[in-house]
Amino acid sequence: MSFAQKISLNKLLKLLSLFTALAIVFWTLKPGGLIWQILMLCAILWFLIELYHNKTQTSKLKKSFLVGLFLMLFDFVVENSGKIAGLWEGYNSLFFVLYVPAEVMILCLVGGMAWALYLPERFDEVHSICDILLFSTFGALGEFILIKNGILAYMGGWTSIHAFMGYAVTWMILHALNYRIIKMK
């Protein structure tokens, strides 16, 4: 295993640990609407960590903004479409932009930027597969926990399996965007 692959694996394991800890906290404490604030704080902290590690790479920082912006806009379209189609509904936001919680928009922008900065410079198939599985699993689990906390409701036959597949497709698109279209360097 190369040095870059070890760093990549280390970052994946840290995210797995963070996501697992958040899932346990949100499941056991049921913080309700505070989940949004906790998630935003974690996204901001993650971004600041990645910013520190990438501070000399201004082109990568600029490109990470494009990834975060894309994720925010993509999520905005998907969430509004799902609500209009009667598949889900969100609750307990400080305010909504159409049907999307403003907190989710911030999470997508800042978290998307952090995510783009954390990725390996060069495409690594194993890392990408693990990353897609990690975000798909915890995205679906996170939505299940949001339901348990009264912040999200599924309707119209939508399930956690659909959410998992939706996250998988989203992260496949993000990997393609990052490595084929924007080409972070």
Side-chain angles (χ1 to χ4, degrees):
M1 182 180 290
S2 72
F3 181 70
Q5 288 174 320
K6 287 179 185 176
I7 290 173
S8 176
L9 176 62
N10 187 26
K11 287 182 173 187
L12 275 168
L13 291 174
K14 286 178 181 177
L15 279 180
L16 175 63
S17 299
L18 173 64
F19 292 169
T20 300
L22 287 171
I24 291 168
V25 167
F26 294 160
W27 182 266
T28 56
L29 298 181
K30 299 199 182 337
L34 286 177
I35 286 176
W36 295 133
Q37 286 74 29
I38 295 167
L39 289 174
M40 284 192 309
L41 177 64
C42 288
I44 291 166
L45 290 174
W46 182 27
F47 173 71
L48 291 173
I49 290 167
E50 294 301 333
L51 181 64
Y52 175 78
H53 291 293
N54 292 280
K55 62 186 168 215
T56 61
Q57 300 175 343
T58 55
S59 67
K60 188 172 182 180
L61 294 173
K62 290 175 186 175
K63 292 174 184 177
S64 74
F65 176 74
L66 295 175
V67 172
L69 183 63
F70 174 84
L71 179 58
M72 183 183 74
L73 295 173
F74 183 80
D75 179 77
F76 183 80
V77 170
V78 169
E79 285 206 46
N80 280 301
S81 299
K83 167 60 175 146
I84 291 167
L87 299 176
W88 56 72
E89 184 169 1
Y91 310 102
N92 291 347
S93 174
L94 292 175
F95 67 93
F96 288 86
V97 180
L98 294 180
Y99 300 112
V100 181
E103 297 91 340
V104 172
M105 294 179 71
I106 294 167
L107 278 168
C108 288
L109 178 63
V110 176
M113 290 172 67
W115 176 82
L117 291 171
Y118 117 98
L119 288 175
E121 290 289 326
R122 298 190 190 283
F123 176 75
D124 180 310
E125 185 176 341
V126 173
H127 181 274
S128 290
I129 290 168
C130 291
D131 184 73
I132 291 165
L133 288 172
L134 178 75
F135 278 88
S136 300
T137 300
F138 280 93
L141 176 61
E143 288 192 6
F144 182 76
I145 292 170
L146 291 175
I147 291 167
K148 294 296 181 195
N149 276 270
I151 296 173
L152 179 68
Y154 285 165
M155 304 170 288
W158 190 261
T159 68
S160 292
I161 294 169
H162 296 104
F164 177 87
M165 297 306 295
Y167 281 102
V169 168
T170 300
W171 255 258
M172 286 180 207
I173 291 169
L174 287 173
H175 276 270
L177 175 72
N178 183 67
Y179 288 113
R180 294 187 179 194
I181 298 170
I182 296 177
K183 296 181 182 172
M184 295 288 206
K185 288 188 183 183

